[in-house]
Amino acid sequence: SALFKRCEVEPEILNWINGPGNDYFNRHMREVAQEFRSLLIDCDSDPTAPSGLFVKSNKKMGVIVWDPIHTTLVRFVGQEVGSGVAGVSIRGALNEYYGVMNASILFYILRNPQRTPAPWQGNRVCFWGTVYGDNFEQEYVLSLDLTGPTPKVGKHMADGIFYSINPAACLMKP
């Protein structure tokens, strides 16, 4: 489907856009385009790798338009009751889940903290769409740590235990 659809414009408006309103229209459209571009996240490129890590796998998601309303945090039963869930179980279950987010979104939010979804506050939100490795053959997922005054990146062993504070970031089905 096309991002933009062709529409008909009244002749008087077209005359205004092509005449006296041209500067205003062009300036306004540049602002709209700039704002729209600021919402685009390239989730096909490998995200940044923190020092000592490399991207081992990265779920390609295309270019997305960021809208927090279309996000959800996924917790599994063990996480909700406080006992925690093994990362291998979470990883397997999320492979079947729509829209598990990769770390490109984590780094986007770090650059744009004002775009953090409100329900994420107080959590260490995990981005299972990107798995990192190190030289010791360990695997890690990164999290966006929103438990303090300043967002920061956290690192978790992928085969560790994940608690209620470690939900998975996912996009909701359209």
Side-chain angles (χ1 to χ4, degrees), residues 137-167:
E137 298 185 18
Q138 293 293 323
E139 293 184 336
Y140 300 89
V141 293
L142 298 185
S143 68
L144 180 61
D145 187 341
L146 299 165
T147 59
T150 306
K152 58 186 176 190
V153 176
K155 174 176 83 169
H156 305 272
M157 291 184 71
D159 63 355
I161 303 296
F162 291 78
Y163 297 94
S164 178
I165 199 167
N166 308 115

Coordinates of all heavy atoms in Angstrom, one line a residue, residues 137-167:
E137 N 31.8 -16.6 23.7 CA 30.7 -17.3 23.2 C 29.4 -17.2 24.1 O 28.6 -18.0 24.0 CB 31.1 -18.8 23.0 CG 32.1 -18.9 21.9 CD 32.4 -20.4 21.6 OE1 31.6 -21.3 21.9 OE2 33.5 -20.6 21.0
Q138 N 29.4 -16.1 24.8 CA 28.2 -15.8 25.6 C 27.2 -15.0 24.7 O 27.7 -14.2 23.8 CB 28.5 -15.0 26.9 CG 29.3 -15.7 27.9 CD 28.5 -16.9 28.5 OE1 27.3 -16.7 28.7 NE2 29.1 -18.0 28.7
E139 N 25.9 -15.1 24.9 CA 25.0 -14.3 24.2 C 24.3 -13.3 25.1 O 24.0 -13.7 26.3 CB 23.9 -15.2 23.5 CG 24.5 -16.0 22.4 CD 23.5 -16.8 21.7 OE1 22.4 -17.1 22.2 OE2 23.8 -17.2 20.5
Y140 N 23.9 -12.1 24.6 CA 23.3 -11.1 25.4 C 22.2 -10.4 24.7 O 22.2 -10.4 23.4 CB 24.3 -10.0 25.8 CG 25.5 -10.5 26.5 CD1 26.6 -11.0 25.9 CD2 25.5 -10.5 27.9 CE1 27.7 -11.4 26.6 CE2 26.6 -11.0 28.6 CZ 27.7 -11.4 27.9 OH 28.8 -11.9 28.6
V141 N 21.2 -9.9 25.4 CA 20.2 -9.0 24.9 C 20.4 -7.7 25.6 O 20.8 -7.7 26.8 CB 18.8 -9.5 25.0 CG1 18.5 -10.7 24.2 CG2 18.4 -9.8 26.5
L142 N 20.1 -6.6 25.0 CA 20.2 -5.3 25.6 C 18.9 -4.9 26.1 O 17.8 -5.3 25.6 CB 20.8 -4.2 24.6 CG 22.2 -4.5 24.0 CD1 22.6 -3.3 23.2 CD2 23.2 -4.7 25.1
S143 N 18.9 -4.0 27.1 CA 17.6 -3.4 27.6 C 17.8 -1.9 27.7 O 18.9 -1.4 27.7 CB 17.3 -4.0 29.0 OG 18.2 -3.6 29.9
L144 N 16.6 -1.3 27.7 CA 16.6 0.2 27.9 C 16.2 0.3 29.4 O 15.0 -0.1 29.8 CB 15.5 0.8 27.0 CG 15.4 2.3 27.2 CD1 16.7 3.1 26.9 CD2 14.2 2.8 26.3
D145 N 17.1 0.7 30.2 CA 16.9 0.8 31.7 C 16.2 2.1 32.0 O 16.9 3.2 31.9 CB 18.2 0.7 32.4 CG 18.1 0.6 33.9 OD1 17.0 1.0 34.4 OD2 19.0 0.1 34.6
L146 N 15.0 2.1 32.3 CA 14.2 3.3 32.7 C 13.8 3.3 34.1 O 12.8 3.8 34.5 CB 12.9 3.3 31.8 CG 13.2 3.3 30.3 CD1 12.0 3.0 29.5 CD2 13.7 4.7 29.9
T147 N 14.7 2.7 35.0 CA 14.4 2.7 36.4 C 14.9 3.9 37.1 O 14.6 4.1 38.3 CB 15.0 1.4 37.1 OG1 16.4 1.4 36.8 CG2 14.3 0.2 36.5
G148 N 15.8 4.7 36.5 CA 16.3 5.9 37.1 C 16.0 7.1 36.4 O 15.1 7.1 35.5
P149 N 16.6 8.2 36.8 CA 16.2 9.5 36.2 C 16.7 9.7 34.7 O 16.1 10.4 33.9 CB 16.9 10.5 37.0 CG 18.1 9.8 37.7 CD 17.6 8.4 37.8
T150 N 17.7 8.9 34.3 CA 18.2 9.0 32.9 C 18.2 7.6 32.3 O 18.7 6.6 32.9 CB 19.7 9.5 33.0 OG1 19.8 10.7 33.7 CG2 20.2 9.7 31.6
P151 N 17.6 7.5 31.1 CA 17.6 6.2 30.4 C 19.1 5.7 30.1 O 19.9 6.6 29.8 CB 16.9 6.5 29.1 CG 16.2 7.8 29.3 CD 16.9 8.5 30.3
K152 N 19.3 4.4 30.2 CA 20.6 3.9 29.9 C 20.5 2.5 29.3 O 19.4 1.9 29.5 CB 21.6 4.0 31.1 CG 21.1 3.2 32.3 CD 22.0 3.4 33.5 CE 21.4 2.7 34.7 NZ 22.1 3.0 35.9
V153 N 21.5 2.0 28.7 CA 21.6 0.7 28.1 C 22.0 -0.3 29.2 O 23.0 -0.1 29.9 CB 22.5 0.6 26.9 CG1 22.6 -0.8 26.4 CG2 22.0 1.5 25.8
G154 N 21.3 -1.4 29.3 CA 21.6 -2.5 30.2 C 22.0 -3.7 29.3 O 21.6 -3.8 28.1
K155 N 22.7 -4.7 29.9 CA 23.1 -5.9 29.2 C 22.8 -7.1 30.0 O 23.0 -7.1 31.2 CB 24.7 -5.8 28.9 CG 25.3 -7.0 28.3 CD 26.7 -6.9 28.1 CE 27.6 -7.1 29.3 NZ 29.0 -7.2 29.1
H156 N 22.1 -8.1 29.4 CA 21.6 -9.2 30.1 C 22.1 -10.5 29.4 O 21.9 -10.6 28.2 CB 20.1 -9.3 30.2 CG 19.5 -8.0 30.8 ND1 19.4 -7.9 32.2 CD2 19.1 -6.9 30.3 CE1 18.9 -6.7 32.4 NE2 18.7 -6.1 31.3
M157 N 22.6 -11.5 30.1 CA 22.9 -12.8 29.5 C 21.6 -13.4 29.0 O 20.6 -13.5 29.7 CB 23.6 -13.7 30.5 CG 25.0 -13.2 30.8 SD 25.9 -14.3 31.9 CE 26.3 -15.6 30.8
A158 N 21.6 -13.8 27.7 CA 20.4 -14.3 27.1 C 19.9 -15.6 27.7 O 18.7 -15.8 27.7 CB 20.6 -14.5 25.6
D159 N 20.8 -16.3 28.4 CA 20.3 -17.5 29.0 C 20.1 -17.3 30.5 O 19.9 -18.3 31.3 CB 21.3 -18.7 28.8 CG 22.7 -18.5 29.3 OD1 22.9 -17.3 29.9 OD2 23.5 -19.4 29.3
G160 N 20.0 -16.1 31.0 CA 19.8 -15.7 32.4 C 18.3 -15.8 32.7 O 17.5 -16.3 31.9
I161 N 18.0 -15.3 33.9 CA 16.6 -15.3 34.4 C 16.1 -13.8 34.2 O 16.8 -12.9 34.6 CB 16.5 -15.7 35.9 CG1 17.1 -17.1 36.0 CG2 15.1 -15.6 36.4 CD1 16.3 -18.2 35.3
F162 N 14.9 -13.7 33.7 CA 14.3 -12.4 33.5 C 13.0 -12.3 34.3 O 12.2 -13.2 34.3 CB 13.9 -12.3 32.0 CG 15.2 -12.2 31.1 CD1 15.9 -13.3 30.8 CD2 15.6 -10.9 30.7 CE1 17.1 -13.2 30.1 CE2 16.8 -10.8 29.9 CZ 17.5 -12.0 29.6
Y163 N 12.9 -11.2 35.1 CA 11.9 -10.9 36.0 C 10.8 -10.0 35.4 O 11.0 -9.5 34.3 CB 12.4 -10.5 37.3 CG 13.3 -11.5 38.0 CD1 14.7 -11.5 37.8 CD2 12.7 -12.5 38.7 CE1 15.5 -12.5 38.3 CE2 13.5 -13.5 39.3 CZ 14.9 -13.5 39.1 OH 15.7 -14.5 39.6
S164 N 9.9 -9.6 36.2 CA 8.8 -8.7 35.8 C 9.3 -7.4 35.3 O 8.7 -6.8 34.4 CB 7.9 -8.5 37.0 OG 6.8 -7.6 36.7
I165 N 10.4 -6.9 35.9 CA 11.0 -5.6 35.5 C 11.7 -5.7 34.1 O 12.1 -4.7 33.5 CB 12.0 -5.2 36.6 CG1 12.3 -3.7 36.4 CG2 13.3 -6.0 36.5 CD1 13.0 -3.1 37.6
N166 N 11.8 -6.9 33.5 CA 12.5 -7.2 32.2 C 11.5 -7.6 31.1 O 11.7 -8.6 30.5 CB 13.5 -8.2 32.4 CG 14.5 -8.0 33.5 OD1 14.6 -8.8 34.4 ND2 15.3 -6.9 33.4
P167 N 10.4 -6.8 30.8 CA 9.5 -7.3 29.8 C 10.2 -7.1 28.4 O 11.2 -6.4 28.2 CB 8.4 -6.3 29.9 CG 9.0 -5.1 30.5 CD 10.1 -5.6 31.4

